[in-house]
Amino acid sequence: MATGPFLNLPAYYARADTARAAIEIAQSLVEAESANSTALSFGAGFRSGERTRVRMQILYPVIRRDGYYNHGFGDLMISSEIRIVSDTMRVSGLFLRGEMRIPTGSASRWPYAGESLDGGAGLEFRRLSETFEFRCSATYILVGKKAEEESYRSDNYALAGVLLGVKPFDALSVDFSAFAQYFRNGDFREVYLIGAGTRLRGGLDLRVCGGMDNGESFERVWNSIVQVAITWRFPSGTKRTPGPEGPDAGGEPFEAPPTGLPPENTTP
């Protein structure tokens, strides 16, 4: 009776940095009203040009329901962001978000698949510093296959989200996020999440997130969730530029920081 498909909200806000590409692998333990499940998600994000980022996620759930297991691939989720205005590092500012859900799984694996092509767009504003992170977004999604049945429900919806994060230590970040989902048929859903992440060696990041889905039983997609995720950032190349006296002058050449950006676009 859950309203709308599984959105993988713990990973809704993509990482904001200057990396050119990253791979994300996560495992979610989901407690629902009538079924428990484990969902693996595999994602890849990359920067296309100077203004656009694209991210793809595919789900593989294992659902335990009524004494049997149902497993297989869920839907493919594609999101993109286009920079409207930002700082020189292109991590803070206003961005145009695009969302698409491609039906690649059977509806028997609801809510991880719905056999419906959904898509929409919206805006995201974010402000990041060395110790603080703020994000807010609003999108509207058109559902290709509307349904209001006993087994599941689906309709067009607007999704609003906000995230507040702090970095008390260099290697630790903590954040709280909340989402509100407004459906055209009048249904309403709200989700609260808290997460923590740390940066490991070798370009790896570890993140743990937990949360609860609030609302009536027919509105909740799940009751509670715990997600553990690992992100690997592709090593960015370094570019050597000659010093002020030319390549033949003594001393070591300058090595740009490994941000994946040209030296002229970086800030100290």
Tab-separated table of all heavy atoms in Angstrom, residues 151-215:
chain	number	residue	atom	x	y	z
A	151	SER	N	-2.715	-3.099	-4.045
A	151	SER	CA	-1.334	-3.560	-3.891
A	151	SER	C	-0.338	-2.408	-3.879
A	151	SER	O	0.646	-2.448	-3.160
A	151	SER	CB	-0.979	-4.536	-5.007
A	151	SER	OG	-1.168	-3.916	-6.278
A	152	TYR	N	-0.572	-1.357	-4.671
A	152	TYR	CA	0.322	-0.211	-4.666
A	152	TYR	C	-0.381	0.995	-5.272
A	152	TYR	O	-1.394	0.871	-5.951
A	152	TYR	CB	1.622	-0.511	-5.420
A	152	TYR	CG	1.449	-0.869	-6.880
A	152	TYR	CD1	1.392	0.102	-7.871
A	152	TYR	CD2	1.359	-2.204	-7.264
A	152	TYR	CE1	1.243	-0.237	-9.194
A	152	TYR	CE2	1.211	-2.545	-8.589
A	152	TYR	CZ	1.160	-1.562	-9.559
A	152	TYR	OH	1.001	-1.898	-10.865
A	153	ARG	N	0.190	2.176	-4.997
A	153	ARG	CA	-0.360	3.439	-5.488
A	153	ARG	C	0.767	4.240	-6.125
A	153	ARG	O	1.921	4.155	-5.719
A	153	ARG	CB	-0.966	4.232	-4.335
A	153	ARG	CG	-2.049	3.496	-3.571
A	153	ARG	CD	-2.154	3.991	-2.139
A	153	ARG	NE	-2.545	5.391	-2.060
A	153	ARG	CZ	-3.804	5.801	-1.941
A	153	ARG	NH1	-4.789	4.911	-1.927
A	153	ARG	NH2	-4.094	7.068	-1.855
A	154	SER	N	0.411	5.061	-7.126
A	154	SER	CA	1.407	5.884	-7.793
A	154	SER	C	0.717	7.051	-8.497
A	154	SER	O	-0.330	6.873	-9.107
A	154	SER	CB	2.201	5.053	-8.809
A	154	SER	OG	3.178	5.839	-9.435
A	155	ASP	N	1.315	8.244	-8.381
A	155	ASP	CA	0.754	9.440	-9.016
A	155	ASP	C	1.845	10.492	-9.123
A	155	ASP	O	2.918	10.363	-8.528
A	155	ASP	CB	-0.424	9.976	-8.196
A	155	ASP	CG	-1.408	10.774	-9.052
A	155	ASP	OD1	-1.010	11.204	-10.163
A	155	ASP	OD2	-2.554	10.973	-8.622
A	156	ASN	N	1.574	11.563	-9.896
A	156	ASN	CA	2.512	12.674	-9.984
A	156	ASN	C	2.772	13.250	-8.592
A	156	ASN	O	1.874	13.268	-7.741
A	156	ASN	CB	1.965	13.763	-10.888
A	156	ASN	CG	1.763	13.297	-12.322
A	156	ASN	OD1	2.230	12.228	-12.717
A	156	ASN	ND2	1.056	14.089	-13.108
A	157	TYR	N	3.979	13.766	-8.377
A	157	TYR	CA	4.289	14.285	-7.058
A	157	TYR	C	5.344	15.383	-7.132
A	157	TYR	O	6.111	15.486	-8.098
A	157	TYR	CB	4.783	13.162	-6.134
A	157	TYR	CG	6.085	12.517	-6.554
A	157	TYR	CD1	7.312	13.028	-6.149
A	157	TYR	CD2	6.093	11.377	-7.357
A	157	TYR	CE1	8.496	12.444	-6.526
A	157	TYR	CE2	7.276	10.780	-7.741
A	157	TYR	CZ	8.479	11.310	-7.318
A	157	TYR	OH	9.658	10.724	-7.707
A	158	ALA	N	5.348	16.212	-6.090
A	158	ALA	CA	6.399	17.203	-5.867
A	158	ALA	C	7.219	16.742	-4.680
A	158	ALA	O	6.673	16.258	-3.679
A	158	ALA	CB	5.799	18.573	-5.604
A	159	LEU	N	8.539	16.872	-4.785
A	159	LEU	CA	9.444	16.439	-3.724
A	159	LEU	C	10.286	17.625	-3.274
A	159	LEU	O	10.984	18.235	-4.082
A	159	LEU	CB	10.354	15.309	-4.215
A	159	LEU	CG	11.354	14.759	-3.199
A	159	LEU	CD1	10.620	14.053	-2.060
A	159	LEU	CD2	12.326	13.796	-3.866
A	160	ALA	N	10.187	17.955	-1.989
A	160	ALA	CA	10.990	19.023	-1.405
A	160	ALA	C	11.935	18.420	-0.384
A	160	ALA	O	11.553	17.519	0.377
A	160	ALA	CB	10.102	20.073	-0.740
A	161	GLY	N	13.167	18.890	-0.363
A	161	GLY	CA	14.156	18.347	0.558
A	161	GLY	C	15.068	19.423	1.103
A	161	GLY	O	15.279	20.465	0.473
A	162	VAL	N	15.617	19.181	2.292
A	162	VAL	CA	16.577	20.089	2.905
A	162	VAL	C	17.610	19.257	3.649
A	162	VAL	O	17.278	18.199	4.207
A	162	VAL	CB	15.888	21.094	3.848
A	162	VAL	CG1	15.194	20.373	5.000
A	162	VAL	CG2	16.874	22.122	4.377
A	163	LEU	N	18.855	19.684	3.640
A	163	LEU	CA	19.944	18.995	4.328
A	163	LEU	C	20.803	20.022	5.050
A	163	LEU	O	21.167	21.057	4.479
A	163	LEU	CB	20.786	18.185	3.345
A	163	LEU	CG	21.958	17.386	3.928
A	163	LEU	CD1	22.144	16.076	3.178
A	163	LEU	CD2	23.265	18.201	3.879
A	164	LEU	N	21.124	19.722	6.313
A	164	LEU	CA	22.029	20.533	7.118
A	164	LEU	C	23.165	19.634	7.585
A	164	LEU	O	22.917	18.570	8.163
A	164	LEU	CB	21.308	21.141	8.319
A	164	LEU	CG	20.175	22.114	8.018
A	164	LEU	CD1	19.463	22.500	9.308
A	164	LEU	CD2	20.698	23.359	7.316
A	165	GLY	N	24.382	20.037	7.345
A	165	GLY	CA	25.523	19.224	7.716
A	165	GLY	C	26.610	20.047	8.379
A	165	GLY	O	26.763	21.242	8.103
A	166	VAL	N	27.358	19.410	9.266
A	166	VAL	CA	28.502	20.040	9.919
A	166	VAL	C	29.689	19.099	9.821
A	166	VAL	O	29.533	17.886	9.644
A	166	VAL	CB	28.212	20.363	11.405
A	166	VAL	CG1	27.125	21.415	11.510
A	166	VAL	CG2	27.820	19.108	12.171
A	167	LYS	N	30.865	19.667	9.957
A	167	LYS	CA	32.104	18.890	9.917
A	167	LYS	C	32.897	19.198	11.179
A	167	LYS	O	33.757	20.089	11.184
A	167	LYS	CB	32.898	19.241	8.664
A	167	LYS	CG	34.047	18.297	8.376
A	167	LYS	CD	34.694	18.623	7.040
A	167	LYS	CE	35.821	17.636	6.728
A	167	LYS	NZ	36.469	17.951	5.435
A	168	PRO	N	32.597	18.481	12.282
A	168	PRO	CA	33.286	18.789	13.537
A	168	PRO	C	34.770	18.474	13.511
A	168	PRO	O	35.546	19.088	14.241
A	168	PRO	CB	32.543	17.918	14.562
A	168	PRO	CG	31.958	16.794	13.763
A	168	PRO	CD	31.634	17.380	12.417
A	169	PHE	N	35.162	17.493	12.693
A	169	PHE	CA	36.577	17.132	12.561
A	169	PHE	C	36.917	17.046	11.078
A	169	PHE	O	36.034	16.929	10.223
A	169	PHE	CB	36.867	15.799	13.255
A	169	PHE	CG	36.408	15.745	14.684
A	169	PHE	CD1	35.263	15.054	15.018
A	169	PHE	CD2	37.106	16.402	15.682
A	169	PHE	CE1	34.818	14.996	16.327
A	169	PHE	CE2	36.674	16.356	17.000
A	169	PHE	CZ	35.529	15.662	17.323
A	170	ASP	N	38.201	17.067	10.776
A	170	ASP	CA	38.637	17.038	9.384
A	170	ASP	C	38.164	15.781	8.664
A	170	ASP	O	37.844	15.814	7.485
A	170	ASP	CB	40.163	17.137	9.302
A	170	ASP	CG	40.668	18.521	9.681
A	170	ASP	OD1	39.862	19.470	9.634
A	170	ASP	OD2	41.856	18.644	10.043
A	171	ALA	N	38.112	14.654	9.374
A	171	ALA	CA	37.791	13.389	8.717
A	171	ALA	C	36.363	12.925	8.985
A	171	ALA	O	36.019	11.791	8.665
A	171	ALA	CB	38.764	12.308	9.178
A	172	LEU	N	35.519	13.780	9.580
A	172	LEU	CA	34.164	13.363	9.931
A	172	LEU	C	33.167	14.440	9.567
A	172	LEU	O	33.384	15.625	9.827
A	172	LEU	CB	34.065	13.060	11.432
A	172	LEU	CG	32.676	12.690	11.957
A	172	LEU	CD1	32.238	11.349	11.381
A	172	LEU	CD2	32.672	12.654	13.479
A	173	SER	N	32.043	14.037	8.956
A	173	SER	CA	30.941	14.939	8.664
A	173	SER	C	29.643	14.300	9.147
A	173	SER	O	29.468	13.080	9.056
A	173	SER	CB	30.853	15.234	7.162
A	173	SER	OG	30.622	14.040	6.429
A	174	VAL	N	28.733	15.108	9.669
A	174	VAL	CA	27.446	14.658	10.172
A	174	VAL	C	26.365	15.535	9.546
A	174	VAL	O	26.534	16.755	9.438
A	174	VAL	CB	27.370	14.741	11.711
A	174	VAL	CG1	26.017	14.270	12.222
A	174	VAL	CG2	28.492	13.921	12.351
A	175	ASP	N	25.256	14.915	9.105
A	175	ASP	CA	24.213	15.696	8.458
A	175	ASP	C	22.828	15.160	8.821
A	175	ASP	O	22.653	13.986	9.136
A	175	ASP	CB	24.383	15.692	6.938
A	175	ASP	CG	24.388	14.302	6.345
A	175	ASP	OD1	23.305	13.702	6.210
A	175	ASP	OD2	25.477	13.795	6.034
A	176	PHE	N	21.864	16.041	8.763
A	176	PHE	CA	20.450	15.720	8.972
A	176	PHE	C	19.681	16.194	7.752
A	176	PHE	O	19.895	17.305	7.263
A	176	PHE	CB	19.914	16.407	10.226
A	176	PHE	CG	18.420	16.312	10.358
A	176	PHE	CD1	17.819	15.160	10.848
A	176	PHE	CD2	17.620	17.373	9.974
A	176	PHE	CE1	16.436	15.070	10.961
A	176	PHE	CE2	16.237	17.295	10.091
A	176	PHE	CZ	15.640	16.142	10.578
A	177	SER	N	18.786	15.366	7.235
A	177	SER	CA	18.002	15.734	6.067
A	177	SER	C	16.545	15.342	6.270
A	177	SER	O	16.231	14.404	7.001
A	177	SER	CB	18.558	15.078	4.790
A	177	SER	OG	18.608	13.671	4.933
A	178	ALA	N	15.665	16.080	5.612
A	178	ALA	CA	14.226	15.823	5.681
A	178	ALA	C	13.642	16.015	4.298
A	178	ALA	O	14.068	16.898	3.534
A	178	ALA	CB	13.558	16.757	6.688
A	179	PHE	N	12.649	15.168	3.956
A	179	PHE	CA	11.997	15.224	2.655
A	179	PHE	C	10.486	15.202	2.848
A	179	PHE	O	9.974	14.510	3.735
A	179	PHE	CB	12.410	14.042	1.773
A	179	PHE	CG	13.866	14.030	1.406
A	179	PHE	CD1	14.800	13.413	2.227
A	179	PHE	CD2	14.313	14.652	0.245
A	179	PHE	CE1	16.137	13.396	1.906
A	179	PHE	CE2	15.657	14.643	-0.085
A	179	PHE	CZ	16.573	14.016	0.740
A	180	ALA	N	9.798	15.953	2.005
A	180	ALA	CA	8.337	15.957	1.993
A	180	ALA	C	7.880	15.682	0.559
A	180	ALA	O	8.361	16.331	-0.383
A	180	ALA	CB	7.786	17.292	2.481
A	181	GLN	N	6.983	14.735	0.412
A	181	GLN	CA	6.501	14.314	-0.897
A	181	GLN	C	4.992	14.597	-0.973
A	181	GLN	O	4.215	14.068	-0.177
A	181	GLN	CB	6.788	12.822	-1.100
A	181	GLN	CG	6.818	12.374	-2.541
A	181	GLN	CD	7.348	10.955	-2.683
A	181	GLN	OE1	7.562	10.256	-1.707
A	181	GLN	NE2	7.575	10.516	-3.910
A	182	TYR	N	4.614	15.446	-1.922
A	182	TYR	CA	3.220	15.844	-2.079
A	182	TYR	C	2.683	15.249	-3.381
A	182	TYR	O	3.161	15.591	-4.470
A	182	TYR	CB	3.090	17.366	-2.121
A	182	TYR	CG	3.671	18.069	-0.919
A	182	TYR	CD1	5.013	18.454	-0.902
A	182	TYR	CD2	2.887	18.361	0.195
A	182	TYR	CE1	5.558	19.112	0.197
A	182	TYR	CE2	3.417	19.021	1.298
A	182	TYR	CZ	4.759	19.384	1.283
A	182	TYR	OH	5.295	20.030	2.361
A	183	PHE	N	1.687	14.381	-3.275
A	183	PHE	CA	1.131	13.723	-4.446
A	183	PHE	C	-0.087	14.478	-4.958
A	183	PHE	O	-0.820	15.114	-4.181
A	183	PHE	CB	0.744	12.274	-4.105
A	183	PHE	CG	1.929	11.398	-3.797
A	183	PHE	CD1	2.438	11.323	-2.512
A	183	PHE	CD2	2.544	10.663	-4.797
A	183	PHE	CE1	3.528	10.529	-2.217
A	183	PHE	CE2	3.636	9.866	-4.511
A	183	PHE	CZ	4.134	9.799	-3.226
A	184	ARG	N	-0.314	14.392	-6.256
A	184	ARG	CA	-1.427	15.102	-6.874
A	184	ARG	C	-2.777	14.607	-6.367
A	184	ARG	O	-3.755	15.360	-6.336
A	184	ARG	CB	-1.362	14.956	-8.398
A	184	ARG	CG	-2.307	15.880	-9.144
A	184	ARG	CD	-2.217	15.704	-10.637
A	184	ARG	NE	-2.635	14.372	-11.054
A	184	ARG	CZ	-2.808	14.003	-12.310
A	184	ARG	NH1	-2.565	14.866	-13.286
A	184	ARG	NH2	-3.165	12.771	-12.602
A	185	ASN	N	-2.835	13.334	-5.953
A	185	ASN	CA	-4.106	12.796	-5.461
A	185	ASN	C	-4.381	13.168	-4.010
A	185	ASN	O	-5.363	12.713	-3.427
A	185	ASN	CB	-4.135	11.272	-5.614
A	185	ASN	CG	-3.036	10.575	-4.815
A	185	ASN	OD1	-2.354	11.193	-4.004
A	185	ASN	ND2	-2.864	9.287	-5.054
A	186	GLY	N	-3.502	13.986	-3.404
A	186	GLY	CA	-3.723	14.440	-2.039
A	186	GLY	C	-2.923	13.709	-0.987
A	186	GLY	O	-2.904	14.132	0.175
A	187	ASP	N	-2.252	12.625	-1.324
A	187	ASP	CA	-1.441	11.898	-0.350
A	187	ASP	C	-0.195	12.709	0.012
A	187	ASP	O	0.277	13.558	-0.753
A	187	ASP	CB	-1.026	10.539	-0.895
A	187	ASP	CG	-2.204	9.579	-1.008
A	187	ASP	OD1	-3.188	9.789	-0.270
A	187	ASP	OD2	-2.141	8.654	-1.827
A	188	PHE	N	0.342	12.402	1.179
A	188	PHE	CA	1.496	13.130	1.683
A	188	PHE	C	2.412	12.151	2.405
A	188	PHE	O	1.950	11.219	3.062
A	188	PHE	CB	1.063	14.239	2.643
A	188	PHE	CG	2.204	14.924	3.344
A	188	PHE	CD1	2.999	15.828	2.670
A	188	PHE	CD2	2.489	14.659	4.680
A	188	PHE	CE1	4.056	16.461	3.310
A	188	PHE	CE2	3.539	15.286	5.330
A	188	PHE	CZ	4.320	16.191	4.637
A	189	ARG	N	3.714	12.380	2.283
A	189	ARG	CA	4.710	11.511	2.886
A	189	ARG	C	5.884	12.354	3.348
A	189	ARG	O	6.263	13.324	2.690
A	189	ARG	CB	5.165	10.465	1.863
A	189	ARG	CG	6.334	9.597	2.292
A	189	ARG	CD	6.793	8.706	1.147
A	189	ARG	NE	7.968	7.936	1.509
A	189	ARG	CZ	8.994	7.720	0.698
A	189	ARG	NH1	8.991	8.217	-0.512
A	189	ARG	NH2	10.011	6.992	1.096
A	190	GLU	N	6.475	12.007	4.504
A	190	GLU	CA	7.648	12.721	4.990
A	190	GLU	C	8.681	11.736	5.507
A	190	GLU	O	8.337	10.694	6.075
A	190	GLU	CB	7.264	13.725	6.077
A	190	GLU	CG	6.513	13.138	7.246
A	190	GLU	CD	5.971	14.215	8.161
A	190	GLU	OE1	5.183	15.055	7.703
A	190	GLU	OE2	6.346	14.206	9.355
A	191	VAL	N	9.951	12.075	5.307
A	191	VAL	CA	11.069	11.189	5.627
A	191	VAL	C	12.126	12.002	6.365
A	191	VAL	O	12.417	13.146	5.997
A	191	VAL	CB	11.681	10.580	4.344
A	191	VAL	CG1	12.874	9.710	4.677
A	191	VAL	CG2	10.640	9.795	3.576
A	192	TYR	N	12.709	11.386	7.415
A	192	TYR	CA	13.768	12.025	8.193
A	192	TYR	C	14.977	11.105	8.231
A	192	TYR	O	14.851	9.914	8.510
A	192	TYR	CB	13.287	12.322	9.614
A	192	TYR	CG	12.086	13.226	9.663
A	192	TYR	CD1	10.802	12.695	9.776
A	192	TYR	CD2	12.227	14.606	9.563
A	192	TYR	CE1	9.694	13.516	9.806
A	192	TYR	CE2	11.122	15.440	9.594
A	192	TYR	CZ	9.861	14.888	9.720
A	192	TYR	OH	8.764	15.707	9.742
A	193	LEU	N	16.164	11.673	7.961
A	193	LEU	CA	17.392	10.892	7.864
A	193	LEU	C	18.511	11.583	8.619
A	193	LEU	O	18.573	12.826	8.671
A	193	LEU	CB	17.815	10.720	6.406
A	193	LEU	CG	16.837	10.018	5.460
A	193	LEU	CD1	17.216	10.296	4.013
A	193	LEU	CD2	16.822	8.530	5.725
A	194	ILE	N	19.403	10.793	9.181
A	194	ILE	CA	20.623	11.311	9.793
A	194	ILE	C	21.781	10.436	9.330
A	194	ILE	O	21.658	9.209	9.270
A	194	ILE	CB	20.523	11.353	11.334
A	194	ILE	CG1	21.773	12.021	11.914
A	194	ILE	CG2	20.308	9.967	11.916
A	194	ILE	CD1	21.657	12.340	13.390
A	195	GLY	N	22.876	11.068	8.965
A	195	GLY	CA	24.001	10.316	8.414
A	195	GLY	C	25.332	10.860	8.881
A	195	GLY	O	25.436	11.986	9.387
A	196	ALA	N	26.359	10.040	8.718
A	196	ALA	CA	27.723	10.421	9.059
A	196	ALA	C	28.661	9.803	8.040
A	196	ALA	O	28.438	8.676	7.571
A	196	ALA	CB	28.091	9.964	10.477
A	197	GLY	N	29.699	10.549	7.696
A	197	GLY	CA	30.653	10.058	6.709
A	197	GLY	C	32.074	10.413	7.091
A	197	GLY	O	32.325	11.364	7.840
A	198	THR	N	33.004	9.635	6.584
A	198	THR	CA	34.411	9.888	6.827
A	198	THR	C	35.199	9.571	5.567
A	198	THR	O	34.774	8.739	4.754
A	198	THR	CB	34.929	9.042	8.008
A	198	THR	OG1	36.291	9.392	8.272
A	198	THR	CG2	34.862	7.561	7.692
A	199	ARG	N	36.315	10.212	5.404
A	199	ARG	CA	37.174	9.992	4.238
A	199	ARG	C	38.291	9.038	4.605
A	199	ARG	O	39.012	9.252	5.584
A	199	ARG	CB	37.732	11.320	3.735
A	199	ARG	CG	38.724	11.195	2.587
A	199	ARG	CD	38.795	12.467	1.790
A	199	ARG	NE	37.543	12.713	1.072
A	199	ARG	CZ	37.385	13.697	0.198
A	199	ARG	NH1	38.373	14.532	-0.061
A	199	ARG	NH2	36.228	13.859	-0.419
A	200	LEU	N	38.425	7.978	3.818
A	200	LEU	CA	39.458	6.977	4.045
A	200	LEU	C	40.613	7.200	3.076
A	200	LEU	O	40.568	8.063	2.202
A	200	LEU	CB	38.874	5.574	3.863
A	200	LEU	CG	37.621	5.251	4.690
A	200	LEU	CD1	37.106	3.870	4.332
A	200	LEU	CD2	37.914	5.351	6.176
A	201	ARG	N	41.636	6.388	3.210
A	201	ARG	CA	42.765	6.484	2.303
A	201	ARG	C	42.425	5.851	0.956
A	201	ARG	O	41.496	5.074	0.841
A	201	ARG	CB	43.981	5.795	2.910
A	201	ARG	CG	44.514	6.482	4.160
A	201	ARG	CD	45.758	5.788	4.674
A	201	ARG	NE	46.311	6.466	5.847
A	201	ARG	CZ	47.395	6.071	6.491
A	201	ARG	NH1	48.050	4.985	6.062
A	201	ARG	NH2	47.842	6.730	7.546
A	202	GLY	N	43.197	6.198	-0.038
A	202	GLY	CA	43.019	5.604	-1.359
A	202	GLY	C	41.831	6.133	-2.123
A	202	GLY	O	41.320	5.454	-3.016
A	203	GLY	N	41.356	7.324	-1.789
A	203	GLY	CA	40.222	7.902	-2.511
A	203	GLY	C	38.887	7.316	-2.127
A	203	GLY	O	37.915	7.468	-2.872
A	204	LEU	N	38.792	6.644	-0.961
A	204	LEU	CA	37.549	6.017	-0.536
A	204	LEU	C	36.849	6.873	0.516
A	204	LEU	O	37.499	7.475	1.379
A	204	LEU	CB	37.813	4.628	0.044
A	204	LEU	CG	38.327	3.559	-0.923
A	204	LEU	CD1	38.634	2.278	-0.163
A	204	LEU	CD2	37.306	3.285	-2.014
A	205	ASP	N	35.520	6.926	0.439
A	205	ASP	CA	34.688	7.561	1.447
A	205	ASP	C	33.719	6.527	1.989
A	205	ASP	O	33.162	5.722	1.228
A	205	ASP	CB	33.887	8.732	0.854
A	205	ASP	CG	34.775	9.894	0.472
A	205	ASP	OD1	35.963	9.878	0.833
A	205	ASP	OD2	34.285	10.815	-0.204
A	206	LEU	N	33.488	6.550	3.308
A	206	LEU	CA	32.543	5.653	3.963
A	206	LEU	C	31.425	6.487	4.563
A	206	LEU	O	31.677	7.496	5.221
A	206	LEU	CB	33.239	4.841	5.057
A	206	LEU	CG	32.324	3.971	5.944
A	206	LEU	CD1	31.693	2.852	5.116
A	206	LEU	CD2	33.106	3.401	7.118
A	207	ARG	N	30.179	6.048	4.337
A	207	ARG	CA	29.029	6.783	4.856
A	207	ARG	C	28.001	5.809	5.417
A	207	ARG	O	27.718	4.766	4.807
A	207	ARG	CB	28.394	7.635	3.754
A	207	ARG	CG	27.120	8.359	4.197
A	207	ARG	CD	26.619	9.313	3.123
A	207	ARG	NE	25.282	9.781	3.403
A	207	ARG	CZ	24.979	10.767	4.240
A	207	ARG	NH1	25.966	11.376	4.876
A	207	ARG	NH2	23.740	11.135	4.449
A	208	VAL	N	27.439	6.151	6.589
A	208	VAL	CA	26.382	5.386	7.225
A	208	VAL	C	25.207	6.321	7.453
A	208	VAL	O	25.384	7.444	7.944
A	208	VAL	CB	26.846	4.774	8.562
A	208	VAL	CG1	25.709	4.003	9.216
A	208	VAL	CG2	28.046	3.862	8.347
A	209	CYS	N	24.007	5.862	7.084
A	209	CYS	CA	22.820	6.709	7.191
A	209	CYS	C	21.656	5.871	7.711
A	209	CYS	O	21.491	4.706	7.336
A	209	CYS	CB	22.460	7.310	5.832
A	209	CYS	SG	21.038	8.418	5.869
A	210	GLY	N	20.848	6.458	8.573
A	210	GLY	CA	19.654	5.805	9.080
A	210	GLY	C	18.489	6.775	9.069
A	210	GLY	O	18.677	7.993	9.129
A	211	GLY	N	17.268	6.235	8.995
A	211	GLY	CA	16.129	7.129	8.951
A	211	GLY	C	14.809	6.428	9.141
A	211	GLY	O	14.742	5.197	9.256
A	212	MET	N	13.755	7.230	9.169
A	212	MET	CA	12.402	6.718	9.340
A	212	MET	C	11.479	7.404	8.345
A	212	MET	O	11.671	8.551	7.969
A	212	MET	CB	11.899	6.956	10.769
A	212	MET	CG	11.887	8.412	11.183
A	212	MET	SD	11.196	8.659	12.835
A	212	MET	CE	9.482	8.252	12.518
A	213	ASP	N	10.483	6.648	7.903
A	213	ASP	CA	9.469	7.131	6.968
A	213	ASP	C	8.203	7.369	7.774
A	213	ASP	O	7.650	6.442	8.366
A	213	ASP	CB	9.250	6.085	5.878
A	213	ASP	CG	8.574	6.670	4.646
A	213	ASP	OD1	7.945	7.725	4.775
A	213	ASP	OD2	8.696	6.062	3.576
A	214	ASN	N	7.733	8.609	7.825
A	214	ASN	CA	6.593	8.965	8.648
A	214	ASN	C	5.307	8.960	7.819
A	214	ASN	O	5.345	8.974	6.598
A	214	ASN	CB	6.812	10.346	9.274
A	214	ASN	CG	5.898	10.610	10.450
A	214	ASN	OD1	5.343	9.676	11.023
A	214	ASN	ND2	5.738	11.860	10.804
A	215	GLY	N	4.159	8.951	8.482
A	215	GLY	CA	2.878	8.987	7.791
A	215	GLY	C	2.042	7.761	8.057
A	215	GLY	O	2.426	6.854	8.806
